[in-house]
């Protein structure tokens, strides 16, 4: 039997911790779920060489490794348990290069998304992926989950902003994937394969990301209350179909709004809400056209060009997760449907609520058709009735041409539905690809597959 913690300490010194509190913290992420026991050691890597050393020791001792960024994931992907090494990339947090002429930056994986954008501001550039957790989540974690966010309807998800990666394989070898050119089609696209791979194929140790010029000009925010959530969803689908391009379009269902109102101690704006932001050239005309659509579809709408008011409204939306977590343990779902099917998906959720006598507070990145229905319960075990309702919810999304997870990933919590979406042949192929990269199965075992 190897003393893995001792081997790690011999090689990496004080980068290795077996402190009980540090190990306990790695048992959970923001999904609200926890592993039954603590991992064996936490390594805070400071360099690519540190990551390689950990992976060589893990390979030689057949020890599982759970890579961890900021631990803000909502699918249980970074949760570590007994006998596992936690490999944190949080301290590898430097912006290594900004190439203004090429609109490219090179970053270490632990840099926080919000921090990267603060550093890019003086260059007039930004990294567009903007998960609501941008202030607290790492770019490495964003890449490993292919994170989305509020602005991705117009500016794309993380995948659209990654050109190249350095990745340490399970056996410690370092790969350089992709390119720093706008185009590049040499060989198979392993960069894309890594994006969203949730720590199961390799450790992302550096990223070359694509930047955009900051969007100039006025920003308009339209907020509207609707009599029903289906009416709000219909308005969102009509706006998409009419060729308008909101930068943000968020929908807050009735019970979700009630939870936020209680949590923040604010006044209820009355009914389900649709909050839409337009930016860039033509923003004013687009906002006026959206206002006309929303009003004709029964929404009571207000249009504003006040930046502070926009921040206030999106602040309300961003507080949804905290509002739910304040009520109990949360199982947050992440289905995504074609945008035209948003009204049908909300109708399906309403029908599941009545049949199971449950309340399912739901918000949606309506501009992407990505819904977050939440189940809130007491204790740590998900009650069977909630698994059954969640099961129906996923199947409804699949029937509407949708997917199990739009942005949070599969992690631990969505594994049970993977076969339903991928089918036997694709799941088998994916498992075999995983085995090529990680033949010993030591990278994030039990997650995704
Ligand atoms: C309040 C709140 C709001 C959120 N809003 C959004 C949202 O709008 N959109 C969205 O997409 N998500 C959102 N999330 C979820 C979460 O923030 C994202 O999934 C984020 O990308 C995770 O980053 P992290 O650094 O915390 O990664 P972690 O949680 O530490 O890890 C997530 C996964 O990535 C893997 N990983 C992490 N770093 C690496 C690496 N260097 N190499 C290989 N694998 C790695 C881990 O093994 C794990 O599987 C939200 C979370 C919270 C708490």
């Amino acid at each position: 039997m190897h003393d893995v913690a001792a081997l790690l300490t011999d090689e990496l010194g004080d980068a290795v911790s077996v402190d009980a509190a540090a190990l306990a913290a790695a048992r959970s992420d923001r999904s609200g779920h926890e592993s039954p026991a603590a991992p064996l050691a936490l390594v805070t890597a400071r360099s690519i060489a540190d990551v390689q050393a950990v992976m060589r020791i893990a390979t030689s001792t057949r020890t599982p490794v759970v890579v961890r960024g900021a631990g803000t994931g909502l699918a249980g992907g970074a949760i570590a348990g007994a006998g596992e090494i936690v490999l944190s990339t949080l301290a590898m947090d430097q912006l290594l290069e900004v190439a203004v002429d090429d609109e490219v930056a090179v970053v270490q994986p632990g840099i926080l998304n919000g921090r990267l954008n603060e550093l890019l501001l003086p260059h007039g550039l930004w990294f567009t992926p903007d998960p609501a957790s941008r202030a607290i989540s790492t770019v490495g974690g964003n890449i490993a989950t292919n994170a989305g966010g509020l602005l991705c309807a117009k500016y794309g998800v993380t995948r659209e902003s990654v050109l190249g990666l350095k990745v340490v394989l399970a056996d410690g070898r370092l790969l350089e994937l992709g390119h720093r050119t706008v185009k590049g089609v040499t060989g198979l696209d392993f960069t894309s394969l890594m994006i969203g791979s949730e720590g199961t194929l390799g450790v992302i140790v550096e990223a070359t990301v694509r930047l955009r010029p900051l969007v100039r000009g006025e920003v308009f925010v339209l907020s509207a209350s609707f009599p029903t959530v289906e009416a709000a969803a219909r308005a969102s689908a009509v706006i998409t179909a009419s060729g308008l391009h909101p930068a943000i379009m968020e929908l807050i269902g009735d019970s979700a709004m009630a939870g936020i109102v209680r949590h923040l101690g604010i006044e209820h704006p009355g009914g389900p809400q649709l909050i839409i932001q337009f930016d860039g050239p033509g923003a004013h005309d687009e906002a006026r056209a959206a206002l006309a659509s929303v009003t004709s579809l029964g929404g009571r709408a207000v249009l504003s060009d006040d930046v502070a008011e926009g921040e206030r409204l999106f602040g309300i939306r961003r507080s949804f997760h905290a509002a739910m977590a304040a009520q109990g343990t949360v199982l947050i779902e992440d289905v995504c449907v074609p945008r035209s099917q948003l009204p049908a998906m909300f109708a399906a959720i309403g029908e599941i609520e009545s049949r199971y006598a449950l309340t399912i507070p739901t918000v949606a990145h309506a501009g992407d058709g990505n819904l977050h229905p939440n189940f809130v319960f007491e204790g740590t075990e998900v009650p069977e009735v909630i698994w059954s309702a969640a099961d129906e919810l996923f199947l409804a999304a699949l029937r509407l041409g949708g997917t199990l997870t739009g942005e949070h990933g599969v992690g631990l919590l969505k594994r049970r539905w993977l076969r339903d979406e991928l089918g036997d042949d694709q799941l088998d192929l994916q498992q075999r690809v995983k085995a090529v990269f990680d033949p010993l199965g030591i990278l994030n075992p039990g997650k995704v597959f």
Side-chain angles (χ1 to χ4, degrees):
M1 196 63 179
H2 303 280
D3 184 344
V4 176
L7 289 173
L8 289 168
T9 307
D10 284 350
E11 183 121 3
L12 293 152
D14 62 6
V16 183
S17 170
V18 291
D19 171 67
L23 297 184
R27 288 174 56 194
S28 58
D29 60 4
R30 292 294 197 93
S31 66
H33 296 262
E34 198 174 69
S35 69
L40 68 85
L42 164 72
V43 183
T44 303
R46 300 150 301 195
S47 63
I48 294 176
D50 281 359
V51 173
Q52 291 181 288
V54 171
M55 294 317 304
R56 283 191 200 107
I57 291 170
T59 287
S60 68
T61 59
R62 309 294 197 258
T63 310
V65 175
V66 179
V67 190
R68 190 175 176 95
T72 69
L74 296 171
I79 291 179
E84 296 181 326
I85 301 168
V86 181
L87 173 53
S88 169
T89 49
L90 196 56
M92 294 172 68
D93 62 356
Q94 297 301 300
L95 168 59
L96 300 174
E97 182 192 346
V98 184
V100 175
D101 291 348
D102 288 329
E103 296 179 343
V104 157
V106 181
V107 299
Q108 291 187 316
I111 191 165
L112 298 180
N113 177 310
R115 177 69 186 143
L116 172 60
N117 276 310
E118 279 168 17
L119 295 171
L120 292 173
L121 200 59
H123 300 283
L125 294 167
W126 63 308
F127 175 63
T128 64
D130 76 322
S133 58
R134 64 190 175 187
I136 53 172
S137 64
T138 67
V139 172
N142 296 165
I143 295 170
T145 55
N146 191 16
L150 273 61
L151 286 162
C152 59
K154 186 166 179 181
Y155 295 105
V157 295
T158 303
R159 182 183 303 287
E160 270 91 46
S161 290
V162 180
L163 293 172
L165 294 172
K166 285 189 183 169
V167 171
V168 172
L169 293 177
D171 61 10
R173 279 177 297 162
L174 178 65
L175 287 187
E176 286 192 33
L177 309 176
H179 41 81
R180 60 181 285 157
T181 50
V182 172
K183 293 174 171 176
V185 290
T186 318
L188 295 178
D189 187 355
F190 279 0
T191 312
S192 275
L193 187 62
M194 284 293 159
I195 298 168
S197 63
E198 301 183 58
T200 63
L201 299 181
V203 188
I204 296 162
V205 290
E206 196 176 291
T208 302
V209 297
R210 187 176 187 169
L211 309 174
R212 284 176 188 255
L214 287 171
V215 181
R216 309 272 175 204
E218 277 182 303
V219 167
F220 294 88
V221 177
L222 178 68
S223 60
S225 305
F226 287 84
T228 63
V229 76
E230 286 87 352
R234 208 169 306 118
S236 143
V238 166
I239 287 169
T240 304
S242 64
L244 299 174
H245 290 108
I248 305 179
M249 185 153 61
E250 293 291 310
L251 196 160
I252 309 178
D254 216 6
S255 53
M257 197 66 218
I260 295 173
V261 160
R262 259 198 316 278
H263 183 63
L264 296 180
I266 56 173
E267 211 174 294
H268 200 304
Q273 299 288 304
L274 194 59
I275 314 174
I276 314 171
Q277 178 174 302
F278 290 95
D279 65 5
H284 182 248
D285 291 347
E286 288 202 282
R288 301 284 321 167
L291 177 64
S293 284
V294 162
T295 310
S296 73
L297 291 163
R300 279 188 297 111
V302 179
L303 180 60
S304 169
D305 62 355
D306 180 352
V307 175
E309 175 59 6
E311 280 305 314
R312 189 187 71 81
L313 291 168
F314 290 113
I316 289 174
R317 162 63 186 89
R318 287 194 176 95
S319 61
F320 172 68
H321 185 69
M324 293 299 107
Q327 290 179 19
T329 310
V330 178
L331 181 67
I332 177 168
E333 300 303 353
D334 179 36
V335 291
C336 193
V337 294
R339 292 173 293 181
S340 58
Q341 299 301 318
L342 205 59
M345 191 63 218
F346 271 104
I349 293 170
E351 202 265 319
I352 293 166
E353 281 182 311
S354 333
R355 207 143 32 78
Y356 285 85
L358 289 170
T359 303
I360 310 177
T362 301
V363 295
H365 303 302
D368 317 316
N370 184 191
L371 301 95
H372 295 315
N374 277 232
F375 296 93
V376 185
F377 56 94
E378 284 173 20
T380 51
E381 286 300 311
V382 182
E384 224 19 75
V385 61
I386 289 185
W387 280 132
S388 302
D391 200 32
E392 294 214 18
L393 203 142
F394 282 125
L395 295 177
L398 292 184
R399 267 197 309 277
L400 293 170
T403 178
L404 299 175
T405 170
E407 57 181 17
H408 294 165
V410 175
L412 272 180
L413 298 177
K414 295 180 182 70
R415 279 181 318 179
R416 56 165 65 207
W417 293 286
L418 202 59
R419 191 178 292 278
D420 290 332
E421 181 166 339
L422 298 182
D424 293 340
D425 288 343
Q426 199 188 157
L427 183 57
D428 172 58
L429 211 52
Q430 291 209 6
Q431 282 166 334
R432 286 196 279 147
V433 170
K434 153 85 173 158
V436 169
F437 279 82
D438 178 22
L440 301 175
I442 58 172
L443 277 168
N444 222 356
K447 312 288 171 44
V448 185
F449 300 108

